[in-house]
Amino acid sequence: MGSQRELQEGYRIPAKPEEYLKLNYIPDDADIVPSPPIQNGLSFPLAASEIKFLPLKSVKLLTINSDCKDVIEITLILKDENLTYIPGDTVGVIPKNDPLEVEEIISHLGLRDKLDEKCTLLVENSSENGNRKPKELPAHLPKSSTLRNIFESCVEIRGPPKKIFLRALAEYASDENEKNELLKMCSKEGSAEYERVFSSSSGTSPGFGLLQFLKAYPSCIPPVSVLLQHLTRLRARPYSIASSPLVEDKCVRLIFSVYKERDSKGVCTGWLEGFLPPVNLEEQLSSLSLSETMPEVPLFFRKSSGFCLPDDHSVPLILIGPGTGVAPYIGFLEHLSALKKDYESMKCGEVWLFYGCRNPEQNLIYENYLKNFVESGILSRLFLSFSQYSGSFDGWNGSKYVQESIEKVGGSFVEQLIDKGSVLYVSGDGMHMFKDIKEKITALIGEHKGVTAEEASDMVKILITKKKYLEDIWI
C-alpha cells in the first residue's frame, strides 16, 4: 500500500530484494563443526601477513585533561620471531563492535534471549531464480555461531544503510509513515532526501549506524537474517606503527585518538580504549602469566605503501604531521637514532618536522621524545603550531596550523625541498589538511621559484611521481 502510494506520487520504487538467508537456532548439544575464528578465516584486503594475536605490553594516556580528545598509546608484544617491520609500515587492527550496542540491536529485534544460543546460517535459493547464479553465504559469515559473535566480530553495524538495504528494511516497518519515508528514500527521485538524512556531511553523526537507524524508525523490526544478508563485513582499521624494531625490541607501538565531543566512539578506537586501565598495566600484570592473562589484539601487517625512510639516510627529510599524524615519524626518528648509535660514521641528512596540536598543555604528545631528538641532532628543526592556544611556549612562533608554519619558513622550505632534494612526507587524518598543505607548498614554490601556478603545480606532480612527496592519509 505504501509502495503504491509513493508510485502514484511519482517515485519509482525499486523491487524488493530477494531474501535468501535463513537462520536456525539449534540445541546447545548439537554436533556442529565450529567455524574458524575471525570472520570465518577470510583474508583481509592489503594483508601482508597472517592474522597475529599480539599481547598487550602497556597502555598509556598521552594527553592531559584534554577537552576535545584523548590520545592513547598501546604497545604490543611481537611474539613471532620471523615477523618484522620497518618504520612507516601499517597494521590492520581487527576490532570488535561494542557489546552493549549489539545487545540493544538484538533486543530491538525481540531476540535478547537468543543472543548466545547456537545458530546456523544457510542459503535458500528460490526456484524462481531461473538462469541466475545461485546465492551463496557471504564469505565473512560463519555457518555456525551465535548472534553475539556474528554481530560483535563479523559485520559492520556503523555507517548509513545503502538504498537496497533500506528497500529491504521498508518491508518490515509497521508504521505507514515510516514505511513511506523509507520507500521514498530508496527511489532515484528520493536521492536528495536520502543524502539529507544519511549523509555524514549533512545529517548523520560519525557514530551513526544500525542502532541509531532502528531508534529513528522504531516500527521497523526485520528478521535478523535480513540484517545479516545486507550488513557488510567488519573492516580492519589501519594504524601507522609508531616505533622502530631497533628500539622497541619485538614490540609494536600504536597511537590513536578518542574524541570526547561525539556521541559515539569509533568502532576500533572505542574498543582499544577499553584496554586502558586505571593504573599502569605493567604494574598490574607484572606477576601474572602473560600467555594466560594478557589481553590480545588481533591484527595483520599491511602491504607497504612506500611511506618509509629512503635507503640513503643522507637524504634530507621534511616530515609534516599534526596530531597523531606524528606516529610514523616517531618510528622514523627512533630508527635513525638507533642506526646512528650503531654506525657512528653514518651520515644522516637534515630532518625537519612540522608538528601541531590544539593546546601544548593538553595535546602535545611525545614532547620529551621530540626534545631529545632535537638535542641529539637527529631532528634538525622542529616547527610547532597550536590551533587553540594563546600563551607562550618555548620554540613556538605563534603559528596555529602546520600550513602557517610552512609559510613562515617560506623560501628556506622551498630550498630544502627543491634545491636540497628532500623527501617530503605528510601524515594525518582527513582529506582537507592534505589538500591545504599541497596548495600551500605549490604556492610557495611559485612565489620563491618565480614560476606560474601551473608550473608550480607540475613541479609538485613530478615530486609525487618520483616518490619525493609521500602521503599517508587516514579517513
Side-chain angles (χ1 to χ4, degrees):
M1 184 66 136
S3 175
Q4 299 242 342
R5 177 171 300 169
E6 295 295 343
L7 283 168
Q8 292 170 5
E9 294 178 1
Y11 291 98
R12 292 169 289 181
I13 309 300
K16 174 188 172 184
E18 177 188 356
E19 294 179 8
Y20 58 85
L21 203 60
K22 186 174 181 179
L23 182 143
N24 291 321
Y25 299 99
I26 56 177
D28 285 342
D29 59 354
D31 185 19
I32 59 173
V33 178
S35 298
I38 307 292
Q39 301 181 22
N40 220 23
L42 188 64
S43 63
F44 283 84
L46 300 178
S49 75
E50 296 178 348
I51 295 170
K52 305 294 180 179
F53 293 82
L54 304 191
L56 282 169
K57 180 182 179 183
S58 65
V59 187
K60 299 176 184 177
L61 182 64
L62 300 182
T63 45
I64 303 172
N65 299 322
S66 174
D67 56 359
C68 170
K69 61 183 178 181
D70 288 330
V71 178
I72 297 171
E73 172 197 277
I74 66 172
T75 303
L76 305 167
I77 301 170
L78 190 58
K79 297 184 294 183
D80 190 338
E81 295 293 327
N82 298 317
L83 191 61
T84 187
Y85 65 90
I86 61 174
D89 279 353
T90 59
V91 295
V93 176
I94 306 167
K96 281 191 175 184
N97 288 313
D98 183 348
L100 296 179
E101 196 170 337
V102 168
E103 288 180 12
E104 280 198 67
I105 291 170
I106 299 303
S107 295
H108 178 90
L109 304 179
L111 299 173
R112 181 63 184 81
D113 59 334
K114 300 287 189 182
L115 189 59
D116 294 301
E117 281 194 25
K118 290 181 181 178
C119 61
T120 59
L121 292 171
L122 55 92
V123 171
E124 288 189 331
N125 281 294
S126 169
S127 58
E128 300 175 0
N129 270 351
N131 295 324
R132 285 182 294 170
K133 183 180 179 181
K135 301 292 186 180
E136 295 180 351
L137 184 69
H140 61 279
L141 295 180
K143 293 181 180 179
S144 60
S145 188
T146 64
L147 289 180
R148 184 186 298 278
N149 178 62
I150 294 172
F151 275 86
E152 285 188 8
S153 304
C154 300
V155 295
E156 286 284 357
I157 60 174
R158 295 283 183 85
K162 294 182 179 179
K163 283 193 173 186
I164 191 171
F165 191 11
L166 280 187
R167 180 64 185 88
L169 292 170
E171 292 299 309
Y172 298 97
S174 57
D175 181 89
E176 186 175 348
N177 289 331
E178 289 182 12
K179 181 173 184 176
N180 284 339
E181 184 177 340
L182 294 174
L183 288 171
K184 178 180 177 180
M185 288 190 289
C186 292
S187 69
K188 184 177 181 180
E189 294 80 6
S191 293
E193 180 68 6
Y194 174 87
E195 287 295 317
R196 185 189 70 78
V197 174
F198 294 116
S199 170
S200 59
S201 62
S202 58
T204 65
S205 68
F208 184 89
L210 181 58
L211 178 59
Q212 287 70 24
F213 172 87
L214 294 174
K215 287 181 176 180
Y217 301 91
S219 80
C220 181
I221 307 178
V224 69
S225 57
V226 170
L227 297 183
L228 296 179
Q229 183 176 316
H230 289 275
L231 291 172
T232 57
R233 180 188 187 185
L234 180 61
R235 296 175 292 106
R237 270 56 174 183
Y239 289 89
S240 293
I241 297 175
S243 56
S244 163
L246 300 181
V247 178
E248 288 283 354
D249 185 34
K250 290 300 174 184
C251 287
V252 174
R253 185 196 299 142
L254 309 176
I255 62 174
F256 58 93
S257 299
V258 179
Y259 287 85
K260 296 180 176 181
E261 302 170 336
R262 299 175 179 174
D263 296 333
S264 300
K265 296 175 181 177
V267 170
C268 195
T269 55
W271 176 65
L272 291 173
E273 184 192 28
F275 293 123
L276 188 67
V279 295
N280 183 275
L281 186 63
E282 290 174 301
E283 293 176 358
Q284 276 190 339
L285 304 179
S286 59
S287 62
L288 301 178
S289 167
L290 294 181
S291 61
E292 293 179 359
T293 63
M294 290 292 283
E296 293 184 326
V297 174
L299 56 77
F300 56 87
F301 287 79
R302 301 171 83 233
K303 294 178 181 177
S304 174
S305 64
F307 195 89
C308 56
L309 289 169
D311 293 334
D312 181 358
H313 298 307
S314 67
V315 173
L317 311 176
I318 299 175
L319 316 176
I320 304 172
T324 52
V326 77
Y329 307 142
I330 296 297
F332 284 8
L333 295 169
E334 284 188 347
H335 205 70
L336 292 173
S337 180
L339 287 172
K340 189 68 175 174
K341 288 178 182 177
D342 290 341
Y343 305 98
E344 294 183 5
S345 62
M346 188 184 78
K347 181 182 178 182
C348 287
E350 284 192 53
V351 182
W352 291 12
L353 172 61
F354 292 83
Y355 171 56
C357 65
R358 288 192 174 199
N359 186 324
E361 296 174 358
Q362 298 177 346
N363 315 114
L364 185 57
I365 61 175
Y366 295 124
E367 179 182 357
N368 291 333
Y369 273 64
L370 298 177
K371 284 182 178 178
N372 289 337
F373 288 132
V374 171
E375 290 172 1
S376 66
I378 296 299
L379 189 55
S380 310
R381 299 188 68 179
L382 174 61
F383 303 92
L384 298 171
S385 54
F386 307 129
S387 61
Q388 296 183 13
Y389 184 66
S390 56
S392 60
F393 192 86
D394 186 35
W396 180 49
N397 64 7
S399 297
K400 289 187 173 297
Y401 302 100
V402 290
Q403 300 94 300
E404 189 177 344
S405 287
I406 293 169
E407 184 173 28
K408 286 186 176 182
V409 182
S412 297
F413 181 92
V414 174
E415 179 185 9
Q416 193 73 8
L417 175 63
I418 304 298
D419 300 332
K420 295 187 178 180
S422 295
V423 178
L424 184 146
Y425 302 80
V426 188
S427 173
D429 185 7
M431 295 294 293
H432 293 298
M433 182 265 292
F434 289 84
K435 179 176 177 289
D436 293 343
I437 287 174
K438 189 175 292 183
E439 288 177 351
K440 178 59 64 179
I441 291 173
T442 303
L444 286 174
I445 291 173
E447 176 185 350
H448 293 280
K449 285 297 180 183
V451 297
T452 65
E454 184 177 357
E455 289 170 331
S457 179
D458 287 340
M459 291 174 72
V460 170
K461 289 176 182 177
I462 291 171
L463 291 174
I464 294 171
T465 301
K466 291 183 175 181
K467 300 189 183 303
K468 302 281 280 185
Y469 189 129
L470 302 169
E471 295 178 323
D472 186 19
I473 304 174
W474 317 333
I475 301 176

